[in-house]
């Protein structure tokens, strides 16, 4: 299912974005937000009125979040996305949250339901990216405090 949402609509989740996702560990947050190797990247499509559909490889979770939230012509197969989150990112909480959204089948002809699904998944991914940023920034702040406690001569 390639889902698109009209330009200008913001992600409004039909479920709570955190849907039981605990904050990731520092290691998982670093793993999730790293630049992915070529073979780990997921492909989506961007519709361009000139050449038509263009393949776009996504190399960071933040990029995927931005594309889903800001570029209406970007589409991705959410079944593949669900599998990719588990396999490439190895984030069971994020995969489970996306799986919850996908549990209810969406009729391909129901544009409103497709948009709701896209918005929900976009909000979940955006929330996970924010959790990772918080964990990584908290950890960086802890390192600064620890470094400040050491006297040098």
């Amino acid at each position: 299912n390639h889902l698109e949402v009209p330009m200008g609509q913001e992600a409004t989740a039909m479920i709570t974005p955190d849907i039981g996702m605990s904050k990731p560990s520092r290691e998982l947050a670093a793993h999730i937000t790293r630049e992915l190797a070529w073979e780990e990247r997921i492909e989506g499509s961007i519709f361009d009125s000139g050449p038509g559909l263009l393949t776009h490889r996504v190399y960071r979770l933040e990029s995927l979040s931005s594309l889903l939230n800001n570029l209406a012509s970007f589409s991705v197969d959410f079944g593949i996305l669900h599998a990719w989150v588990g396999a490439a990112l190895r984030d069971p909480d994020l995969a489970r949250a996306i799986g919850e959204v996908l549990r209810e089948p969406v009729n391909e002809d129901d544009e409103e339901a497709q948009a709701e699904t896209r918005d929900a998944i976009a909000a979940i991914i955006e929330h996970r990216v924010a959790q990772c940023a918080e964990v990584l920034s908290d950890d960086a702040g802890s390192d600064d405090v620890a470094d400040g406690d050491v006297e040098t001569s």
Side-chain angles (χ1 to χ4, degrees):
N1 291 341
H2 279 45
L3 307 178
E4 294 188 24
V5 67
M7 188 65 109
Q9 282 192 349
E10 295 180 21
T12 54
M14 59 185 166
I15 58 171
T16 306
D18 62 357
I19 195 165
M21 289 191 301
S22 57
K23 282 188 183 177
S25 66
R26 179 181 177 359
E27 294 75 24
L28 181 58
H31 181 78
I32 292 168
T33 58
R34 78 193 193 293
E35 183 170 331
L36 299 167
W38 181 258
E39 63 277 1
E40 293 178 303
R41 296 174 185 189
I42 188 170
E43 287 185 358
S45 300
I46 297 175
F47 180 77
D48 185 291
S49 59
L53 281 181
L54 303 171
T55 299
H56 182 76
R57 287 189 169 268
V58 177
Y59 59 93
R60 297 184 90 86
L61 187 62
E62 294 93 338
S63 298
L64 178 62
S65 177
S66 179
L67 286 165
L68 287 171
N69 282 308
N70 300 311
L71 187 60
S73 64
F74 178 77
S75 64
V76 64
D77 182 307
F78 288 125
I80 292 172
L81 172 66
H82 179 240
W84 174 77
V85 166
L89 299 183
R90 290 178 271 171
D91 186 343
D93 282 351
L94 181 56
R96 184 186 51 72
I98 291 171
E100 287 291 318
V101 173
L102 298 177
R103 190 170 35 163
E104 294 297 322
V106 176
N107 181 336
E108 289 184 19
D109 296 327
D110 187 344
E111 291 180 19
E112 186 175 329
Q114 288 182 13
E116 286 177 2
T117 299
R118 178 192 170 106
D119 290 350
I121 290 173
I124 289 167
I125 292 171
E126 182 176 39
H127 182 77
R128 191 54 153 186
V129 167
Q131 283 182 319
C132 290
E134 184 179 337
V135 165
L136 294 172
S137 72
D138 286 351
D139 190 59
S142 299
D143 289 346
D144 291 345
V145 172
D147 291 344
D149 291 341
V150 178
E151 269 187 50
T152 58
S153 50

